[in-house]
Amino acid sequence: MKALVALILLVQLPIHRAAPAAPPPPLGCDDPESEAAAQFVVDYINGHSHHGYKFALNRIKQVRVLPQGPNNEILFLELDLLETTCHILNPTPLANCSVRTFVEHAVEGDCDVKLQKLNGQFTVLASKCHSHADSAEDVRKHCPDCPLLANLNDTDVLATVSSALNDYNSKNPDAYFRLLEIGRATKQYSPVRMVNVEFAVAATNCTLQQAKDNLQACQLLPEDQSNFGFCTATTVSEPSQDFTAECQLYGHQVPALGALPSFPE
Ligand SMILES: *[C@@H]1O[C@H](CO)[C@@H](O)[C@H](O)[C@H]1NC(C)=O
Ligand SMILES: *[C@@H]1O[C@H](CO)[C@@H](O)[C@H](O)[C@H]1NC(C)=O
Ligand SMILES: *[C@@H]1O[C@H](CO)[C@@H](O)[C@H](O)[C@H]1NC(C)=O
């Protein structure tokens, strides 16, 4: 009997201690605290991402709070994110990055995040995100002629990337740039037939001539000296042929948290 009493006390004690004078009101999705937590999470996700584009907060789907003690709580957030047009290496602040529109075949991210708020400081304890594009059928339904996302290994996509990179390198012989990753590609079939690509590049330690002599020896510069850039290119095949390409270099700068994309040789 004594053991049972002790057990009941043990079970009840924490409940008594945790019970505050009045329970805190549940946190709503529009609460400034929820918004601050969500913004922290978005910055965290972008800062830890090595590929693709920065994501912006679309909406907070759900918030749950587990009080842990004074100035200490665990928050569970469910967030809806939208892909922006800024590549992860692009130094433009997120606030200045625009989200993709529906006609660009937008990509959405869903994230479940567990974070701790201790003395006003957030720490992400766990996060799980997955992204998905609007379905091609949905885009087609509302916009029959809109370009649709293409596979990044599509031959037309690869050909356009390779032409654009060759084009850029031949016009800028001082530093030879290599492909880091293809970020996005779309294809459109009517009224024009075209391929659109976006890809990230980085400088190697070679000039164009050195690259022509021995491409194998050209290495990416160390991250802190590197020069990253981002290119867009379009190949039109019908009604008439056309090719345009443009690259923007971000200059020497360390990307957020050393996020250098790895890429297969
Ligand atoms: C971002 O937007 C703000 C306000 O519109 C502007 O003042 C600032 O120059 C922009 N920064 C960049 C890097 O574009
Ligand atoms: C191209 O990518 C698609 C989708 O990611 C994949 O299913 C397919 O196997 C790839 N094809 C080749 C030749 O790599
Ligand atoms: C580039 O770096 C690699 C590895 O450090 C080196 O072997 C190569 O000679 C360098 N190339 C040039 C042109 O400096």
Side-chain angles (χ1 to χ4, degrees):
M1 203 54 203
K2 231 181 199 165
L4 185 61
V5 172
L7 190 66
I8 289 166
L9 271 180
L10 267 181
V11 171
Q12 283 184 345
L13 213 56
I15 296 170
H16 275 294
R17 273 226 224 102
L27 207 53
C29 291
D30 298 334
D31 266 280
E33 186 184 345
S34 307
E35 277 163 17
Q39 208 48 61
F40 180 85
V41 168
V42 170
D43 291 343
Y44 173 90
I45 288 168
N46 286 327
H48 284 76
S49 170
H50 295 207
H51 296 283
Y53 298 85
K54 295 183 189 182
F55 277 89
L57 181 64
N58 184 29
R59 71 190 180 99
I60 302 171
K61 283 208 286 215
Q62 208 187 345
V63 192
R64 275 191 303 128
V65 183
L66 281 184
Q68 303 290 295
N71 294 319
N72 186 1
E73 56 192 24
I74 301 285
L75 291 95
F76 294 91
L77 288 181
E78 210 183 312
L79 304 179
D80 222 18
L81 309 182
L82 287 175
E83 190 186 72
T84 69
T85 56
C86 291
H87 190 264
I88 211 80
L89 296 171
N90 187 334
T92 304
L94 180 64
N96 295 48
C97 298
S98 45
V99 297
R100 303 245 180 217
T101 59
F102 182 74
V103 297
E104 291 174 284
H105 203 161
V107 172
E108 236 182 72
D110 290 317
C111 295
D112 288 303
V113 188
K114 178 182 179 185
L115 69 170
Q116 182 174 36
K117 188 179 182 190
L118 182 60
N119 298 321
Q121 296 280 325
F122 291 113
T123 312
V124 173
L125 301 177
S127 68
K128 199 176 65 186
C129 295
H130 63 96
S131 62
H132 55 92
D134 290 337
S135 79
E137 290 73 36
D138 271 3
V139 176
R140 273 275 153 75
K141 217 184 294 169
H142 297 101
C143 177
D145 288 341
C146 276
L148 294 176
L149 286 175
N151 275 335
L152 300 182
N153 58 12
D154 179 281
T155 47
D156 296 334
V157 169
L158 295 177
T160 300
V161 168
S162 147
S163 304
L165 194 51
N166 287 340
D167 183 64
Y168 181 83
N169 277 325
S170 65
K171 288 175 184 158
N172 298 274
D174 290 347
Y176 185 79
F177 277 75
R178 263 193 2 202
L179 176 66
L180 280 180
E181 67 169 8
I182 302 174
R184 164 183 259 267
T186 58
K187 279 184 149 184
Q188 186 174 354
Y189 296 94
S190 70
V192 289
R193 196 177 180 87
M194 67 179 185
V195 183
N196 228 298
V197 298
E198 299 183 2
F199 58 98
V201 296
T204 65
N205 63 347
C206 290
T207 63
L208 177 62
Q209 191 53 51
Q210 288 165 334
K212 278 181 176 161
D213 294 344
N214 184 8
L215 185 58
Q216 295 306 315
C218 300
Q219 302 286 321
L220 290 178
L221 295 170
E223 226 171 295
D224 56 347
Q225 297 161 29
S226 197
N227 193 355
F228 295 105
F230 187 71
C231 305
T232 55
T234 304
T235 304
V236 182
S237 47
E238 284 170 26
S240 57
Q241 301 211 338
D242 191 25
F243 173 76
T244 51
E246 195 179 348
C247 292
Q248 180 201 0
L249 295 190
Y250 298 140
H252 296 276
Q253 43 118 27
V254 186
L257 291 175
L260 178 62
S262 56
F263 64 101
E265 285 299 310

